[in-house]
Amino acid sequence: MELCRATLSRAPFLPAAPPSLPVRDFRKRRVVCLSSGKSESTESPKDTQMVVSVTGATGFIGRRLVQKLLADKHKVRVLTRSITKARFVFPVENFPEIIIAEEEEWKKCIEGSNAVVNLAGMPISTRWSPEIKKEIMQSRINVTSKVVDLINHTNAEVRPSVLAQVKLKSLMRLVLQEMTTYQRFSWIHLDDLVNLICQSLTNPSYKGVINGTAPNPVRLSEMCDQLGQVIGRPSWLPVPDFAIKAVLGEGASIVLEGQRVLPAKAKELGFSYKYPYVKDALKAIVREL
Ligand SMILES: NC(=O)c1ccc[n+]([C@@H]2O[C@H](COP(=O)([O-])OP(=O)(O)OC[C@H]3O[C@@H](n4cnc5c(N)ncnc54)[C@H](OP(=O)(O)O)[C@@H]3O)[C@@H](O)[C@H]2O)c1
């Protein structure tokens, strides 16, 4: 997956997202690629408290991101389609400090936020048809357009300075069935992805587009071997459903893309992976089950 980070402070306006490929246009005009060779800032996020608005915060990546932002003492505004759902995900007794807002309140939340993270979109973990694929794409375009529009209509003094967005590279690339067991694919542990997003919010060297993948892609057969070892079952035995789901499904900490993508820019930036190897990532996932 790709992470885009747009620096907004010097740009008076983001281009309005066109109906087809919103992010591509950002890249041409305002989003600077995360390709700087500078190393990570030594400044801890704790030194600079931010207000961060997050769409899709109730989802797989968003939940972990919100927890991490709160742990780093930032303030979080959850932009959701449903307060009821969001309150269920973030119960007030555990998350008293977050603000939850439905769409009509998004503008107010974005005003005064230092950063916006856009993770919203219809889930991809569903049986796909041409119509569903269109809906999956359209849902992302709609939310991105709305967020960009709201940012554009925010006064410069209260405009967020960063927009970060995790995006699908191409829906077709995510079709696991098209892979052979010998084809290498890229993956990333959820904690590393969340750390990468957080770095992009706090570190100005993280600009533009960065591949959110671990540095060591694996073959499907290797991953099955490793998973077999981690859960103590020979890899020639069928891997149990719960384990496959844990790795590939919604509750997974491994994120698949149907191609080998290397995180050259993250490496250039000196991003430090907690889980560079799939075996360690799998161990961590299984520990959490
Ligand atoms: N997880 C992965 O493996 C993976 C891989 C590549 C890229 N990504 C991208 O990263 C982003 C976050 O992924 P995720 O796995 O955390 O997503 P997710 O669990 O499916 O959650 C996405 C959130 O988007 C909102 N949403 C759902 N349907 C929507 C719709 N039709 N229109 C607008 N908003 C909708 C929901 O939030 P509310 O109900 O609170 O509004 C939901 O919690 C997505 O854009 C995804 O495409 C994820």
Side-chain angles (χ1 to χ4, degrees):
M1 78 182 62
E2 282 181 350
L3 171 68
C4 294
R5 180 209 197 259
T7 327
L8 309 176
S9 50
R10 272 158 285 166
F13 289 99
L14 284 173
S20 53
L21 285 168
V23 176
R24 183 178 299 171
D25 200 39
F26 292 175
R27 230 184 289 173
K28 260 193 271 170
R29 305 272 302 276
R30 305 279 184 211
V31 177
V32 193
C33 288
L34 298 177
S35 57
S36 155
K38 292 179 193 163
S39 60
E40 281 180 26
S41 161
T42 51
E43 191 176 38
S44 147
K46 293 184 188 71
D47 300 333
T48 48
Q49 187 187 56
M50 294 186 300
V51 178
V52 185
S53 285
V54 186
T55 71
T58 55
F60 172 56
I61 297 170
R63 292 174 195 209
R64 192 71 71 104
L65 175 66
V66 169
Q67 287 168 0
K68 164 86 176 142
L69 288 169
L70 292 174
D72 286 346
K73 308 290 180 221
H74 299 303
K75 292 187 172 169
V76 175
R77 298 174 178 180
V78 167
L79 310 190
T80 181
R81 294 165 307 154
S82 158
I83 287 189
T84 314
K85 174 187 168 188
R87 259 301 158 216
F88 182 74
V89 174
F90 302 110
V92 72
E93 50 288 10
N94 300 339
F95 298 91
E97 65 276 63
I98 60 174
I99 290 174
I100 296 180
E102 280 181 354
E103 288 187 52
E104 57 277 14
E105 302 291 319
W106 285 16
K107 182 172 165 47
K108 267 198 227 154
C109 283
I110 285 176
E111 284 172 1
S113 291
N114 302 94
V116 178
V117 182
N118 182 22
L119 299 171
M122 183 182 166
I124 53 174
S125 51
T126 176
R127 193 169 285 275
W128 288 355
S129 63
E131 293 74 36
I132 295 279
K133 277 195 259 179
K134 229 188 250 171
E135 267 187 72
I136 288 174
M137 194 53 88
Q138 195 57 46
S139 67
R140 282 157 179 77
I141 291 167
N142 291 346
V143 182
T144 305
S145 302
K146 184 176 170 102
V147 167
V148 168
D149 197 48
L150 290 175
I151 292 171
N152 278 343
H153 287 91
T154 300
N155 286 335
E157 318 81 74
V158 287
R159 187 174 299 143
S161 55
V162 176
L163 168 63
Q165 146 142 7
V166 176
K167 70 186 190 81
L168 293 175
K169 292 189 75 178
S170 149
L171 288 177
M172 292 316 294
R173 288 183 189 160
L174 288 157
V175 184
L176 184 63
Q177 287 88 331
E178 288 185 355
M179 292 167 54
T180 74
T181 54
Y182 298 106
Q183 195 175 340
R184 282 184 190 274
F185 65 88
S186 297
W187 57 275
I188 187 166
H189 191 283
L190 181 59
D191 286 347
D192 280 331
L193 180 63
V194 164
N195 286 341
L196 198 59
I197 295 172
C198 289
Q199 277 294 325
S200 79
L201 302 183
T202 54
N203 187 335
S205 302
Y206 284 61
K207 299 171 193 166
V209 180
I210 187 167
N211 288 328
T213 60
N216 298 295
V218 287
R219 294 192 176 88
L220 191 57
S221 56
E222 284 171 46
M223 196 194 68
C224 289
D225 277 353
Q226 299 283 7
L227 184 56
Q229 285 180 34
V230 167
I231 61 172
R233 290 172 73 117
S235 63
W236 48 264
L237 285 179
V239 178
D241 278 355
F242 81 86
I244 289 287
K245 252 196 198 145
V247 175
L248 306 180
E250 205 182 8
S253 296
I254 294 285
V255 178
L256 290 175
E257 290 191 343
Q259 67 165 48
R260 183 173 183 266
V261 179
L262 293 172
K265 289 176 184 170
K267 283 173 94 176
E268 272 174 33
L269 286 158
F271 179 74
S272 170
Y273 287 88
K274 203 168 160 192
Y275 303 104
Y277 295 101
V278 79
K279 186 167 187 173
D280 298 325
L282 290 169
K283 276 186 191 164
I285 294 164
V286 169
R287 266 200 307 273
E288 277 188 27
L289 291 177

